[in-house]
Amino acid sequence: MFNDSVEITVSSGKGGAGCVAFRREKYVLQGGPNGGDGGKGGNVYFKVDNNTHTLAHFQGNKNLKAQSGRQGMGSNMAGKSGEHIVVVVPPGTQVVDVETGEVVLDLLEDGKEVLFLQGGKGGLGNVHFKSSTNQKPMYAQPGEPGITKVVRLDLKLIADVGLVGFPNVGKSTLISTVSNARPEVANYEFTTLTPKLGQINIGDYDSFIMADIPGIIGGASEGKGLGLKFLRHIERTKTLLFMIDLASYLEMQYQYETLKKELEAFSPLLAERNFAIALTRADAMSSEEAIEKTNEFLKLLNLSPVSKSRFAFSEEYPVYEQEDFDKAFYDASKPAFVAPISSAIHLNIKPLTYALYQMVVTERS
């Protein structure tokens, strides 16, 4: 099960009460107060763990509470502090205060542990209230109460490249071809019901993460289809790959303009991300037809094919590339590249990963 949003209640522990006690020994006359302090209540921490990928484990346990401190005892013995509770979440989790709507924590770094709620202080025992005018204090402090908050955990996947396209455009097939991810692939719309992450290795030491986001349709930003539910996962992504289906009954211009419109409606920042375009399913038609459609699409965007690709895209098909992906020379209003691809026959797949990696490296620098 995949869960990208869940509401839970977290509580820190209550402080233990101080003790009212007096020294009572056979050869000690008029033993004074010796009531110990109460123990401190346990804290609530959030910890990021790379081995956790969903919020599903909270479905059956939505009330998380740290242990309360123990009461103080006689002979000046302090009560035991309550055990802390550590809430483990996947990277990319935001902790939102339900009451205020404020994002209080944005948890990204693996292994990071953040204090969220302090436990209540333990109460002072009666030994602290002895004075010259009060030799026999009968009072000790109660422990401070813990803090309870209702929070919403929102998971926003962290990926270098986000795949954006209509349903059944070939996103799942591409990510299963180039990475270790194995999303379900079938010939019907909305096969992918949950986002998938895949690691693409470039050589022995370099890699980047690609996210397969469930298909967007017209009106996704208004709640139609699955798009709105999962568009949040593209928010952290610096590079977008628009996937336009060459063989679809939908016009390529309509696909492209709809995707741009839905992203901008959901978040204006998304519309400003660096992007590239893959024209998918080039194998579903003759090479002549694929070449003709690619040229038409480039003409639509006022782009011209390059004479020679820097990333070794097939010379059989027209391809557009910006001259330089460096930030100083990059034109953000245009795609970094436009290339026809086919996961089925591995057309331009390796060059695609090299070009995307170059975009990722530029964003990281």
Side-chain angles (χ1 to χ4, degrees), residues 73-357:
M73 295 172 284
S75 301
N76 290 321
M77 289 193 293
K80 185 180 179 181
S81 295
E83 289 186 10
H84 305 312
I85 186 169
V86 179
V87 184
V88 178
V89 295
T93 301
Q94 288 185 334
V95 181
V96 182
D97 188 317
V98 169
E99 186 178 347
T100 64
E102 178 189 2
V103 177
V104 289
L105 293 176
D106 198 3
L107 303 166
L108 302 173
E109 186 181 338
D110 179 42
K112 186 173 184 180
E113 189 169 298
V114 182
L115 173 64
F116 182 58
L117 298 177
Q118 286 266 17
K121 290 182 180 178
L124 297 177
N126 70 337
V127 68
H128 294 278
F129 302 102
K130 177 184 177 181
S131 68
S132 59
T133 57
N134 186 8
Q135 297 288 316
K136 191 179 179 182
M138 301 299 295
Y139 170 77
Q141 287 181 335
E144 291 184 357
I147 304 169
T148 297
K149 278 191 177 293
V150 180
V151 296
R152 186 178 72 251
L153 305 181
D154 287 337
L155 175 59
K156 297 182 178 181
L157 300 180
I158 303 172
D160 298 299
V161 177
L163 305 183
V164 186
F166 275 63
N168 210 34
V169 76
K171 300 185 299 297
S172 297
T173 306
L174 174 64
I175 202 169
S176 65
T177 301
V178 300
S179 78
N180 55 354
R182 292 294 174 263
E184 182 183 354
V185 178
N187 190 29
Y188 57 86
E189 294 190 347
F190 296 117
T191 309
T192 304
L193 297 178
T194 64
K196 298 291 188 297
L197 288 180
Q199 178 175 302
I200 290 84
N201 295 317
I202 306 293
D204 294 330
Y205 302 104
D206 297 314
S207 65
F208 64 93
I209 302 298
M210 180 181 283
D212 168 21
I213 309 299
I216 298 172
I217 63 172
S221 60
E222 298 169 3
K224 294 181 181 177
L226 298 174
L228 178 64
K229 184 176 180 182
F230 297 113
L231 274 171
R232 75 179 67 185
H233 295 297
I234 313 175
E235 285 186 295
R236 298 188 191 277
T237 306
K238 298 296 184 184
T239 300
L240 302 179
L241 180 65
F242 286 83
M243 300 187 68
I244 309 296
D245 190 350
L246 283 168
S248 173
Y249 64 92
L250 297 171
E251 292 291 333
M252 289 191 293
Q253 180 178 358
Y254 171 78
Q255 293 181 61
Y256 178 65
E257 290 178 352
T258 300
L259 294 173
K260 292 284 282 186
K261 176 183 174 183
E262 293 304 326
L263 288 176
E264 188 167 5
F266 178 73
S267 169
L269 286 176
L270 282 178
E272 298 175 5
R273 294 283 193 268
N274 290 343
F275 70 101
I277 301 174
L279 305 178
T280 67
R281 297 211 294 160
D283 62 295
M285 61 194 70
S286 67
S287 58
E288 291 79 13
E289 188 178 0
I291 290 169
E292 181 183 351
K293 285 196 166 192
T294 302
N295 278 322
E296 287 176 3
F297 187 74
L298 291 177
K299 187 175 180 182
L300 173 71
L301 301 184
N302 293 318
L303 302 175
S304 300
V306 295
S307 56
K308 187 170 181 61
S309 167
R310 304 198 315 278
F311 303 103
F313 283 109
S314 172
E315 295 182 1
E316 182 182 351
Y317 296 87
V319 170
Y320 165 78
E321 295 174 7
Q322 288 201 35
E323 289 185 14
D324 199 323
F325 288 179
D326 188 271
K327 292 180 181 179
F329 304 100
Y330 185 80
D331 185 348
S333 66
K334 298 178 182 179
F337 63 86
V338 181
I341 68 167
S342 168
S343 300
I345 61 174
H346 289 260
L347 171 66
N348 283 334
I349 297 302
K350 274 293 183 186
L352 175 77
T353 61
Y354 296 146
L356 288 173
Y357 177 68

